[in-house]
């Protein structure tokens, strides 16, 4: 099912890795960038760039708790 969602998001114009990050966040809920990267099986530094890009597109938001950013996907 995850692969199907990624393919649909790609049809709407999201690059492959952004779609993977977005679907991962939908599945996990609010979580840190490190956990997103681990669950998405992508490098942490790459995940930070992708999360920033998705945030600029309005698809991801974040809150800071202590010194850690927690990211959450916007509702589809």
């Amino acid at each position: 099912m995850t692969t199907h969602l990624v393919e649909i998001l790609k049809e709407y114009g999201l690059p492959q890795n952004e779609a993977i990050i977005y679907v991962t966040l939908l599945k996990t809920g609010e979580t840190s960038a490190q956990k997103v990267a681990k669950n998405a099986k992508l490098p942490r530094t790459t995940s930070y760039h992708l999360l920033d890009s998705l945030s600029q597109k309005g698809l991801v938001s974040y809150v800071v708790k202590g010194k850690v950013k927690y990211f959450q996907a916007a509702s589809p």
Side-chain angles (χ1 to χ4, degrees):
M1 175 147 159
T2 300
T3 305
H4 180 67
L5 292 174
V6 169
E7 291 304 316
I8 290 171
L9 291 169
K10 285 173 50 181
E11 288 178 18
Y12 281 100
L14 280 184
Q16 171 89 16
N17 286 343
E18 283 187 9
I20 290 170
I21 292 286
Y22 183 73
V23 170
T24 300
L25 275 173
L26 286 175
K27 290 171 54 178
T28 61
E30 184 179 272
T31 191
S32 67
Q34 182 176 358
K35 289 183 181 178
V36 171
K38 182 178 178 181
N39 291 335
K41 297 180 175 106
L42 293 170
R44 185 176 47 86
T45 54
T46 300
S47 296
Y48 274 111
H49 292 292
L50 296 168
L51 286 164
D52 183 50
S53 177
L54 288 167
S55 179
Q56 290 177 6
K57 293 176 181 178
L59 296 173
V60 169
S61 61
Y62 67 90
V63 294
V64 178
K65 296 179 184 178
K67 295 182 179 182
V68 180
K69 280 186 181 179
Y70 289 87
F71 295 88
Q72 185 169 11
S75 176

